[in-house]
């Protein structure tokens, strides 16, 4: 197999694009694709201050590398979740994020959930009974809250996450299987800051296959945590990814066209807000200021109520 650009030996064959490339041309092709996505969806410009949420994994570290390589100014944010146990998953992923930042002389914010809010994610899940064995939903909610808070406090224009096409297609698959209209209308490459207290969020890797990002990290020499979060094993999102990969291997390009057709349908107004998405039901949490449709305080602020004695929020004692 030969590189389409120079004819040298190819290192990757992307059947979905009918494209094989050598290392040099693959390492220029990936940033070009990301830049096209940034422009196509009007994600941000060179004047914007960007905040990249970095988990220490291949996607978010590659994203940070790619956008700074393209000349954008971007700080990083790592959220310490306290998922440690025998594998020291959080401690090790922090090390990868920190050494990447040092190596490339980039600024990394570190928010440790236990230090700031008094409990690790597994402890929080246990106490609130919101997933004693699988803290993933509590974890997702906390990450979204912290990302939004940091983006606003630091006056960043845009928050970037490393979700790739496989992530987006798996989320979409779950949302269409269960036909969750309110999630479908909020799934997009760009989420505008259309409510007070909300940061603008974008996913510049949404058109990149996970396989392409894995190859990029490897070929670009990016050191990242290879293990998944220990709680991810057996998750529905991994199951959906496997199903979609089966489809993809028989029909190259199926994942991309599933996602892109959805975006097209979405633009043409196929999905409309459900009752709980209606703007008149959303208000700002009196505690943290972030938008919520829950009555009174948002779910995040309620989760921490029992530990008020330990809790300091944004530097203000709550009791
Ligand atoms: P995940 O939800 O683990 O699939 O991660 C999706 C994206 O969320 C990643 O690409 C990162 O941009 C961001 N992210 C996940 N975990 C963290 C973390 N601990 N700290 C900062 N950002 C994270
Ligand atoms: Fe949050 Fe696994 S439970 S990363
Ligand atoms: Zn080449
Ligand atoms: Zn709140």
């Amino acid at each position: 197999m030969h590189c389409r650009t120079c004819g040298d030996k190819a290192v990757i064959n992307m059947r979905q694009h009918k494209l094989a490339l050598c290392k040099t041309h693959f390492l220029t092709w990936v940033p070009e694709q990301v830049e096209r996505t940034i422009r196509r969806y009007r994600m941000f410009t060179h004047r914007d201050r960007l905040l990249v949420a970095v988990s220490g994994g291949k996607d978010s570290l590659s994203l940070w590398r790619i956008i700074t390589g393209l000349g954008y100014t971007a700080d990083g944010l790592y959220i310490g979740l306290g998922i440690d146990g025998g594998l020291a998953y959080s401690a090790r992923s922090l090390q990868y994020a920190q050494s990447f930042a040092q190596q490339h002389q980039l600024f990394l914010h570190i928010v440790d959930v236990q230090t700031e809010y008094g409990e690790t994610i597994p402890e929080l899940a246990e106490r609130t009974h919101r997933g004693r064995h699988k803290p993933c939903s509590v974890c997702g909610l906390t990450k979204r809250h912290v990302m939004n808070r940091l983006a606003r406090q630091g006056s960043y224009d845009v928050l970037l996450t490393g979700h790739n096409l496989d992530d987006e297609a798996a989320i979409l698959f779950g949302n269409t299987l269960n036909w969750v209209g309110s999630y479908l209308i909020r799934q997009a490459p760009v989420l505008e800051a259309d409510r007070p207290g909300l940061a603008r969020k974008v996913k510049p890797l949404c058109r990149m296959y996970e396989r392409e990002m894995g190859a990029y990290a490897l070929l670009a020499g990016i050191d990242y945590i290879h293990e998944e979060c220990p709680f991810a094993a057996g998750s529905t999102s991994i199951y959906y990814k496997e199903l979609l990969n089966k489809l993809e291997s028989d029909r190259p390009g199926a994942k991309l066209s599933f996602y892109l057709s959805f975006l097209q349908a979405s633009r043409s107004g196929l999905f409309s807000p459900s009752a709980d998405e209606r703007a008149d039901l959303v208000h700002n949490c009196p505690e943290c200021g972030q938008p919520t449709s829950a009555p009174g305080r948002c779910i995040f602020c309620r989760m921490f109520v029992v530990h008020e004695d330990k809790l300091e929020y944004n530097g203000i004692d709550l009791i």
Side-chain angles (χ1 to χ4, degrees):
M1 188 86 51
H2 296 281
C3 172
R4 186 205 276 176
T5 310
C6 69
D8 273 3
K9 191 169 176 288
V11 291
I12 185 164
N13 180 26
M14 296 170 282
R15 289 205 297 156
Q16 67 279 14
H17 305 307
K18 295 191 176 63
L19 178 65
L21 291 171
C22 70
K23 177 175 171 178
T24 308
H25 289 114
F26 181 67
L27 287 177
T28 51
W29 179 83
V30 171
E32 277 166 17
Q33 296 306 304
V34 175
E35 177 84 305
R36 278 176 65 176
T37 303
I38 293 167
R39 287 178 188 209
R40 185 188 300 252
Y41 300 104
R42 296 195 172 85
M43 291 185 167
F44 44 80
T45 69
H46 286 270
R47 285 189 302 278
D48 289 320
R49 282 186 70 230
L50 314 178
L51 181 66
V52 188
V54 287
S55 62
K58 66 179 189 317
D59 299 299
S60 49
L61 287 181
S62 298
L63 173 62
W64 205 6
R65 165 82 170 260
I66 291 167
I67 56 159
T68 49
L70 289 168
Y72 294 99
T73 311
D75 292 340
L77 164 64
Y78 173 85
I79 304 166
L81 306 164
I83 299 174
D84 282 319
L87 285 171
Y89 173 75
S90 289
R92 286 174 49 233
S93 48
L94 169 63
Q95 279 170 7
Y96 283 104
Q98 271 182 316
S99 60
F100 181 92
Q102 262 165 18
Q103 194 187 340
H104 298 276
Q105 297 180 334
L106 296 166
F107 182 78
L108 179 68
H109 296 272
I110 299 169
V111 173
D112 185 71
V113 170
Q114 185 178 30
T115 311
E116 291 220 10
Y117 302 108
E119 284 169 304
T120 63
I121 292 295
E123 285 167 356
L124 178 62
E126 173 87 31
R127 177 175 59 77
T128 57
H129 304 285
R130 288 171 183 268
R132 191 170 304 208
H133 305 295
K134 278 216 172 289
C136 304
S137 64
V138 166
C139 177
L141 195 138
T142 305
K143 284 192 285 198
R144 280 194 298 279
H145 180 94
V146 173
M147 287 177 195
N148 203 47
R149 168 165 85 79
L150 256 284
R152 289 171 56 232
Q153 278 182 345
S155 302
Y156 290 97
D157 298 300
V158 193
L159 174 80
L160 290 70
T161 56
H163 292 93
N164 59 38
L165 174 68
D166 294 45
D167 297 325
E168 290 302 290
I171 294 168
L172 177 59
F173 192 63
N175 288 344
T176 42
L177 266 188
N178 301 306
W179 208 249
V180 196
S182 56
Y183 290 172
L184 284 169
I185 59 159
R186 300 282 300 164
Q187 189 180 355
V190 177
L191 281 180
E192 295 296 345
D194 53 4
R195 289 172 189 150
L198 212 57
R200 190 161 190 272
K201 299 193 188 81
V202 303
K203 300 171 187 172
L205 303 183
C206 65
R207 294 170 71 121
M208 302 300 300
Y209 280 72
E210 191 155 321
R211 176 172 174 268
E212 294 163 0
M213 294 317 300
Y216 179 84
L218 190 77
L219 296 168
I222 294 171
D223 248 353
Y224 64 91
I225 186 153
H226 285 254
E227 293 84 16
E228 293 265 3
C229 163
F231 294 111
S235 67
T236 40
S237 71
I238 290 187
Y239 176 63
Y240 293 156
K241 280 186 180 179
E242 285 167 3
L243 285 179
L244 290 165
N245 280 339
K246 280 189 193 147
L247 179 66
E248 179 78 22
S249 78
D250 293 334
R251 293 178 45 202
K255 253 187 308 211
L256 186 59
S257 89
F258 175 51
Y259 181 61
L260 294 183
S261 312
F262 158 72
L263 293 184
Q264 205 168 14
S266 197
R267 271 196 301 275
S268 59
L270 192 65
F271 312 108
S272 49
S274 66
D276 62 354
E277 272 288 325
R278 279 184 10 234
D280 53 333
L281 289 175
V282 176
H283 65 101
N284 288 81
C285 168
E287 204 81 65
C288 69
Q290 296 199 17
T292 177
S293 54
R297 294 186 304 162
C298 74
I299 298 172
F300 178 84
C301 290
R302 282 178 210 202
M303 283 197 310
F304 284 98
V305 74
V306 177
H307 274 222
E308 276 171 344
D309 54 334
K310 279 191 191 173
L311 189 62
E312 186 194 73
Y313 190 73
N314 289 356
I316 302 161
D317 283 329
L318 288 184
I319 54 166

